[in-house]
Amino acid sequence: MEKIVIVLGLASLGLSHGAHAQSSVSVSGVLDAGLRNVSNSGLPALTTLVSGSNATSRLAVQGTEDIGGGLSAGFHLEHGLNVANGTATTATQFWDRRATVSLADSRFGEWRLGRDFIPTYTNWSRYDPFGHVGAASAGNLVSTTPVGPLRNSFGTNPNTTVRANSEVQWLLPKNLGGVEGSVMLTKAGDTSAASGANNVKGFRLGWSGGPLSVGLAHTRTRNDLTVAGALTDSSVGGIYNFGVVRLSAVVRHIKQADAKQTNQLLGAWVPVGAGEIRLSVQRADLSGRVGAAVVDANDAVQVGLGYVRSLSKRTALYTTWARIANSGAGTRTISGGTSGMAGGGTSKAIELGLRHNF
Amino acid sequence: MEKIVIVLGLASLGLSHGAHAQSSVSVSGVLDAGLRNVSNSGLPALTTLVSGSNATSRLAVQGTEDIGGGLSAGFHLEHGLNVANGTATTATQFWDRRATVSLADSRFGEWRLGRDFIPTYTNWSRYDPFGHVGAASAGNLVSTTPVGPLRNSFGTNPNTTVRANSEVQWLLPKNLGGVEGSVMLTKAGDTSAASGANNVKGFRLGWSGGPLSVGLAHTRTRNDLTVAGALTDSSVGGIYNFGVVRLSAVVRHIKQADAKQTNQLLGAWVPVGAGEIRLSVQRADLSGRVGAAVVDANDAVQVGLGYVRSLSKRTALYTTWARIANSGAGTRTISGGTSGMAGGGTSKAIELGLRHNF
Amino acid sequence: MEKIVIVLGLASLGLSHGAHAQSSVSVSGVLDAGLRNVSNSGLPALTTLVSGSNATSRLAVQGTEDIGGGLSAGFHLEHGLNVANGTATTATQFWDRRATVSLADSRFGEWRLGRDFIPTYTNWSRYDPFGHVGAASAGNLVSTTPVGPLRNSFGTNPNTTVRANSEVQWLLPKNLGGVEGSVMLTKAGDTSAASGANNVKGFRLGWSGGPLSVGLAHTRTRNDLTVAGALTDSSVGGIYNFGVVRLSAVVRHIKQADAKQTNQLLGAWVPVGAGEIRLSVQRADLSGRVGAAVVDANDAVQVGLGYVRSLSKRTALYTTWARIANSGAGTRTISGGTSGMAGGGTSKAIELGLRHNF
């Protein structure tokens, strides 16, 4: 049995693979499709083929080069897509999920330049049993309607609740006894929310030891819509592995001017043979004012229950049930349903899908 | 001589290739360019560099995973492009040719989800000696002007004469004694022709044995423009290999409301040393009415003659001559000519090109 | 130590790698990001994350097939991208840097079809120590404001100072005792400057021997904006390797109707240990008239000084300083600064970045 490390990129330079070659370039990704039935209260139920309910459908080209002396260089390009129709997630921003080049030192950490996650998102999504995707995604209660601090800061345009352009990041080295983290800022030139070129600063700090993992993060965004004060987006969370179950808890607090939003999530992963049961409960609490409008009443609660059955290390079938109950004028829904739900409505969904890593 | 199966995707997971790895991910495609001279009657002839006259220029990323026990998973992403200028065939739908994820069982067949061909197209293009591309493409007489059942159902927007979004397909297993086929429907949520999100249902059934191969298919499309009745699109065809020549015959029948279209095609492939002569004759017959307008007179006949000379298994030179004679108000042309031909005109083309598979 | 040539594309055809396989398909590219501070006179300085200052960030898929008997086929797809935000350089023209298919003969040269460089660009950029990218790019004084022969021929739309669509190229074979060159024309069908479909003809001829390399090129473009006369774009240049320093000199002359532009560039590369110092001085001289407007006064001078430190064969750190001094109404700037500089202003920049080849 012979080991082969694929050295794609070097082929073009006429080089061959040898014992000293520590470089690798890979093409990998995920394709995930499923059927989802969504019932928004007062509206007809709708069943559609959806993409990425267990993991976002994507294509990545990435690699690292071991330069020697503890130094390495790396790159990562990642493109999201909708397997239902073949469209890029963002047609004008093809490598929307990540575009970075890095220089890393085993003692001094990694410098990473380009488009990547913001710290608060990383320290939020990792505590979501549903990985921030699908019918029960923790994202359903984050950036959707009604107007709160996020929509007041970004309108309906690209925003920085997940990723930011033009990041300069420094990540801690990996040998700090379980401590990990990063500091970042963006250098985008203009700060128009509509162009997605916000002025963002943030950091993340985490610690893992034995069954416990905890983390906190803080991100601040300024743009042309935040004249009344920067948007701040913070989170603190943890996860504990009891063996029979892993439990998570996380709080995300978002604030801009007089508007606040607090999301609280409890999650659980329960291994069952070749499968896993996943459960989450999340509450979004709006408070304060957007301009003159009081937004306190527009809260929501989401419950999600899922089962993932691995067929192999790379392929799985999954099913998820989820329900969002809005209060006040809240119109948060699970995507894929009939549009036009009245404020305070309930959105329910069940989905069944196939996820394949490559 | 050593065999190596490329295991691209796994490289990113830090895994190495071993005797048990049955997975493969590949990057492949076709680039095909040529010069085409088109003469539309009454207009100046025009010579342009065209893409994909022997096989559509494309880039594909695909792979399969043998899960064991007769089960396998697979994915396929395919992107069409114009080698003359580097543009994607559909800028906003990058993986326009195919985006699917599959789970297949050797006994129970394959479930395939995503964007793919419709059954009638598959059972039509395979009988075209020109593979539905180039100057003599069978497609020249399918979805072009004048208004018939197709344009009445789709306008000039994306349509389902070739592919459909949001397909749920079931394909027969491969060990049925020469029988093959599929059943499909789409779950697209809305049914606006302009968005390409039609409601499509269809099936295909074929049989191959010795020198003979036959097939039939039926596809039905509903959308916001087919209120007067669904569009139906059926085909039946066959091919027989006499050794010195392969002959094909196929009929495609398209109907919506009071408008009908029948296309009949005869094809021949004649091996000549390292090359092949290809010949096709096709007739398109419109009948009935679109609204109050009688469309019967707008028929057309196309003749195509080509020669493909293989330089290797992957590379070929080719030349094709084709001619379309329209009746009535028909303005079907071979693409690449001067626009503005009067109804009933004749379009002629000759092309010479280079096709390379990679 | 075992040699492995990667045979990507063939994997999809179910073929395996053997001793006779001379084919190769590769995925390769460059990611390059850096911070650039630009000061345009009279305006606030601005620091932004920029992409491709040492080499344009890109992804390429390419390959060749040795057909035998001196014949080979090849293809090349190349996509430019902005690593700061993940966007494609040209969203609607994904493979904007190159899309070609080729047939080459060791005695008779190469036929290449598709989108590629124009001859004059090739014989201009190779003499620029900064490779036509970054703060000190020779391109800063080519196609930018004010209006001269280029803007009069192309407006602000895609143009052919760098690449052209629909090229038919013939390149000399490689065994001509140091002589190399090409002849090209475009067959684009329409000649609207706005669509980038110009009518272009050109050639390039060069010679290399020992330390000396010289070349000349001429390109002529016609489109719907050049009714008063074709645009001609010529260059002649050379480079001499003195060992301790390589020196280059090149002149580019651009003319359309009554407007002329002459760019003169002197360049130097000085190896210093594992690094290299780079220096260029360029002058752009406008003359004649655009319509009734005399453009003579709008000249500019650029000076660039840089240092590139290789960390490995694939990875480098670099820094560049550059300054453009405009005369008359000239508003040429180094990109990334505050916009709105007055005519005759000065643009200065310093940048620091990381470039990684894969």
Side-chain angles (χ1 to χ4, degrees), chain C residues 117-124 126-127 160 162 164 167-172 179-186 199-207 214-221 231-237 251-253:
Chain C
F117 291 118
I118 61 161
T120 300
Y121 176 82
T122 302
N123 193 61
W124 160 254
R126 60 170 54 171
Y127 304 116
T160 57
V162 178
E167 286 193 31
V168 178
Q169 270 187 96
W170 176 64
L171 294 92
L172 290 178
V179 175
E180 51 118 23
S182 67
V183 181
M184 61 78 71
L185 55 80
T186 64
N199 176 349
V200 186
K201 290 186 171 69
F203 75 90
R204 181 172 61 78
L205 195 63
W207 178 79
V214 292
L216 65 89
H218 180 74
T219 310
R220 197 197 70 185
T221 300
L231 176 85
T232 59
D233 185 357
S234 311
S235 69
V236 56
V251 177
R252 185 170 185 175
H253 187 67

Side-chain angles (χ1 to χ4, degrees), chain B residues 11 22 34 46 58 64 66 91 97 99 117 122-123 140 145 153 204 229 247 259 279 286 300 302 309 323 331:
Chain B
Q22 299 295 321
L46 193 57
R58 74 191 77 170
T64 55
D66 185 343
R97 291 180 56 82
F117 291 118
T122 302
N123 193 61
N140 290 340
T145 52
S153 299
R204 180 172 62 77
L247 291 181
L279 177 67
L286 285 185
Q302 174 177 284
R309 176 68 164 78
R323 179 180 185 276
T331 56

Side-chain angles (χ1 to χ4, degrees), chain A residues 2 17 23 65 93 95 166, chain C residues 2 79 84-85 312 314-315:
Chain A
E2 179 197 6
H17 171 69
S23 308
E65 178 197 18
Q93 191 170 27
W95 303 101
S166 305
Chain C
E2 180 197 6
H79 143 69
N85 56 24
S312 72
R314 294 167 53 197
T315 305

Side-chain angles (χ1 to χ4, degrees), chain B residues 96 115-126 132 137-145 148-165 167 184 186 193 196-201 217-223 226 231-235 252-256 261 263:
Chain B
D96 67 305
R115 176 170 174 81
D116 198 5
F117 291 118
I118 62 162
T120 300
Y121 176 81
T122 302
N123 193 61
W124 161 254
S125 60
R126 59 171 54 171
H132 219 257
S137 167
N140 290 340
L141 299 196
V142 174
S143 58
T144 50
T145 52
L150 287 173
R151 287 179 71 85
N152 200 41
S153 299
F154 299 118
T156 56
N157 283 295
N159 63 53
T160 59
T161 57
V162 177
R163 295 178 179 87
N165 294 333
E167 286 192 32
M184 60 78 70
T186 63
N198 305 279
N199 175 350
V200 186
K201 289 188 171 68
H218 181 73
T219 310
R220 197 196 69 186
T221 300
R222 289 184 193 277
N223 59 41
T226 62
L231 175 85
T232 59
D233 185 358
S234 311
S235 70
R252 184 170 185 176
H253 188 66
I254 301 168
K255 184 174 184 304
Q256 193 263 327
Q261 176 178 335
N263 284 41

Side-chain angles (χ1 to χ4, degrees), chain A residues 16-331:
Chain A
S16 57
H17 171 69
H20 303 299
Q22 299 295 321
S23 308
S24 69
V25 176
S26 72
V27 177
S28 62
V30 176
L31 283 189
D32 176 334
L35 286 168
R36 181 187 297 169
N37 178 280
V38 180
S39 301
N40 294 332
S41 54
L43 297 167
L46 193 57
T47 300
T48 58
L49 190 70
V50 293
S51 178
S53 284
N54 181 261
T56 303
S57 296
R58 75 191 76 172
L59 180 73
V61 183
Q62 58 187 302
T64 56
E65 178 197 18
D66 186 342
I67 292 175
L71 205 61
S72 64
F75 77 98
H76 191 128
L77 290 171
E78 194 169 315
H79 144 69
L81 66 103
N82 184 337
V83 69
N85 56 24
T87 55
T89 303
T90 312
T92 55
Q93 191 170 27
F94 189 80
W95 303 101
D96 67 304
R97 290 180 56 83
R98 187 165 160 189
T100 61
V101 58
S102 294
L103 191 63
D105 184 281
S106 56
R107 291 156 301 166
F108 302 119
E110 173 184 348
W111 284 95
R112 187 185 294 177
L113 306 174
R115 177 170 173 81
D116 198 5
F117 292 118
I118 61 161
T120 300
Y121 176 81
T122 301
N123 193 61
W124 161 254
S125 60
R126 60 171 54 172
Y127 303 116
D128 176 6
F130 296 95
H132 220 256
V133 292
S137 167
N140 291 339
L141 298 196
V142 175
S143 58
T144 50
T145 53
V147 173
L150 287 173
R151 288 179 69 86
N152 200 42
S153 300
F154 299 118
T156 56
N157 284 295
N159 63 53
T160 57
T161 57
V162 177
R163 295 177 180 87
N165 294 334
S166 305
E167 286 193 32
V168 178
Q169 271 186 96
W170 175 64
L171 293 92
L172 290 178
K174 300 194 172 180
N175 51 3
L176 299 181
V179 175
E180 50 118 22
S182 67
V183 181
M184 61 78 70
L185 55 79
T186 63
K187 282 292 186 183
D190 79 290
T191 53
S192 126
S195 72
N198 305 278
N199 176 350
V200 186
K201 290 187 172 69
F203 75 91
R204 181 172 60 78
L205 195 63
W207 178 81
S208 299
L212 181 65
S213 165
V214 293
L216 64 89
H218 180 73
T219 310
R220 197 198 69 186
T221 300
R222 288 184 194 276
N223 59 40
D224 61 338
L225 299 182
T226 62
V227 285
L231 175 85
T232 59
D233 184 358
S234 311
S235 70
V236 57
I239 190 164
Y240 197 93
N241 190 345
F242 292 93
V244 295
V245 58
R246 279 188 298 149
L247 290 182
S248 70
V250 60
V251 177
R252 184 170 185 174
H253 187 67
I254 300 168
K255 185 173 183 305
Q256 193 264 328
D258 297 324
K260 294 177 192 172
Q261 176 178 334
T262 304
N263 284 41
Q264 298 166 296
L265 183 147
L266 294 173
W269 296 254
V270 186
V272 182
E276 187 173 67
I277 293 170
R278 297 176 181 181
L279 176 68
S280 77
V281 182
Q282 187 188 180
R283 182 163 180 275
D285 177 10
L286 285 184
S287 63
R289 288 171 299 112
V290 170
V294 175
V295 300
D296 291 67
N298 308 320
D299 298 344
V301 173
Q302 175 177 285
V303 180
L305 178 64
Y307 177 66
V308 182
R309 176 67 164 79
S310 293
L311 302 179
S312 72
K313 283 198 177 178
R314 294 167 53 198
T315 305
L317 293 169
Y318 61 86
T319 184
T320 310
W321 172 91
R323 180 181 186 275
I324 299 172
N326 288 281
S327 304
T331 56

Side-chain angles (χ1 to χ4, degrees), chain B:
Chain B
M1 199 168 111
E2 178 196 8
K3 289 194 176 190
I4 294 174
V5 179
I6 301 297
V7 192
L8 256 187
L10 294 184
S12 68
L13 306 172
L15 301 181
S16 56
H17 172 68
H20 302 299
Q22 299 295 321
S23 309
S24 68
V25 176
S26 72
V27 176
S28 63
V30 177
L31 283 190
D32 176 335
L35 285 168
R36 181 186 297 170
N37 178 279
V38 181
S39 300
N40 294 332
S41 54
L43 297 168
L46 193 57
T47 300
T48 58
L49 190 72
V50 293
S51 178
S53 284
N54 181 262
T56 303
S57 296
R58 74 191 77 170
L59 180 73
V61 183
Q62 59 187 302
T64 55
E65 179 197 18
D66 185 343
I67 292 173
L71 206 61
S72 64
F75 76 98
H76 190 127
L77 291 171
E78 193 169 315
H79 144 68
L81 67 103
N82 184 337
V83 70
N85 56 23
T87 54
T89 302
T90 313
T92 55
Q93 191 170 26
F94 189 79
W95 303 102
D96 67 305
R97 291 180 56 82
R98 186 164 160 189
T100 61
V101 58
S102 294
L103 191 63
D105 184 280
S106 56
R107 291 157 300 165
F108 302 120
E110 175 184 348
W111 284 95
R112 187 186 294 176
L113 306 173
R115 176 170 174 81
D116 198 5
F117 291 118
I118 62 162
T120 300
Y121 176 81
T122 302
N123 193 61
W124 161 254
S125 60
R126 59 171 54 171
Y127 303 116
D128 177 6
F130 296 95
H132 219 257
V133 292
S137 167
N140 290 340
L141 299 196
V142 174
S143 58
T144 50
T145 52
V147 172
L150 287 173
R151 287 179 71 85
N152 200 41
S153 299
F154 299 118
T156 56
N157 283 295
N159 63 53
T160 59
T161 57
V162 177
R163 295 178 179 87
N165 294 333
S166 305
E167 286 192 32
V168 179
Q169 271 186 96
W170 176 66
L171 294 91
L172 290 178
K174 301 194 172 180
N175 51 1
L176 298 181
V179 175
E180 50 119 20
S182 67
V183 181
M184 60 78 70
L185 55 79
T186 63
K187 282 293 187 183
D190 79 289
T191 54
S192 126
S195 72
N198 305 279
N199 175 350
V200 186
K201 289 188 171 68
F203 75 91
R204 180 172 62 77
L205 196 62
W207 177 81
S208 301
L212 181 65
S213 165
V214 292
L216 65 89
H218 181 73
T219 310
R220 197 196 69 186
T221 300
R222 289 184 193 277
N223 59 41
D224 61 338
L225 299 183
T226 62
V227 285
L231 175 85
T232 59
D233 185 358
S234 311
S235 70
V236 57
I239 190 163
Y240 196 93
N241 190 346
F242 291 93
V244 295
V245 58
R246 278 188 297 151
L247 291 181
S248 69
V250 60
V251 178
R252 184 170 185 176
H253 188 66
I254 301 168
K255 184 174 184 304
Q256 193 263 327
D258 297 325
K260 293 177 191 172
Q261 176 178 335
T262 303
N263 284 41
Q264 296 165 296
L265 183 146
L266 294 172
W269 295 254
V270 184
V272 182
E276 188 173 66
I277 294 171
R278 295 176 182 182
L279 177 67
S280 78
V281 183
Q282 188 187 180
R283 181 163 181 275
D285 178 10
L286 285 185
S287 63
R289 289 172 299 110
V290 170
V294 174
V295 299
D296 291 65
N298 308 321
D299 299 342
V301 173
Q302 174 177 284
V303 179
L305 177 64
Y307 176 67
V308 183
R309 176 68 164 78
S310 293
L311 302 179
S312 72
K313 284 198 176 177
R314 293 165 54 197
T315 305
L317 293 170
Y318 60 86
T319 184
T320 309
W321 172 89
R323 179 180 185 276
I324 298 173
N326 288 280
S327 305
T331 56
R332 301 167 189 91
T333 56
I334 296 159
S335 70
T338 307
S339 59
M341 187 179 78
T346 298
S347 181
K348 287 185 291 190
I350 187 154
E351 68 191 3
L352 174 67
L354 168 66
R355 187 259 305 147
H356 177 63
N357 291 2
F358 59 90

Side-chain angles (χ1 to χ4, degrees), chain A residues 2 4 6-12 15-20 23 25 27 61 63-65 67 71 73-77 91-96 99-103 113-115 165-168 187-189, chain C residues 1-6 8 24-29 31-35 46-50 58-59 62 79 81-88 91 94 311-315 317 352-358:
Chain A
E2 179 197 6
I4 295 174
I6 302 296
V7 192
L8 256 187
L10 294 184
S12 68
L15 303 180
S16 57
H17 171 69
H20 303 299
S23 308
V25 176
V27 177
V61 183
T64 56
E65 178 197 18
I67 292 175
L71 205 61
F75 77 98
H76 191 128
L77 290 171
T92 55
Q93 191 170 27
F94 189 80
W95 303 101
D96 67 304
T100 61
V101 58
S102 294
L103 191 63
L113 306 174
R115 177 170 173 81
N165 294 334
S166 305
E167 286 193 32
V168 178
K187 282 292 186 183
Chain C
M1 200 168 114
E2 180 197 6
K3 288 194 176 188
I4 294 174
V5 179
I6 301 297
L8 256 187
S24 68
V25 177
S26 72
V27 176
S28 62
L31 283 190
D32 176 335
L35 285 168
L46 193 57
T47 300
T48 57
L49 190 70
V50 293
R58 74 191 76 172
L59 180 73
Q62 57 187 303
H79 143 69
L81 67 103
N82 184 338
V83 69
N85 56 24
T87 54
F94 190 79
L311 302 179
S312 72
K313 284 197 176 179
R314 294 167 53 197
T315 305
L317 293 170
L352 174 67
L354 168 67
R355 187 259 305 147
H356 177 63
N357 292 1
F358 60 90

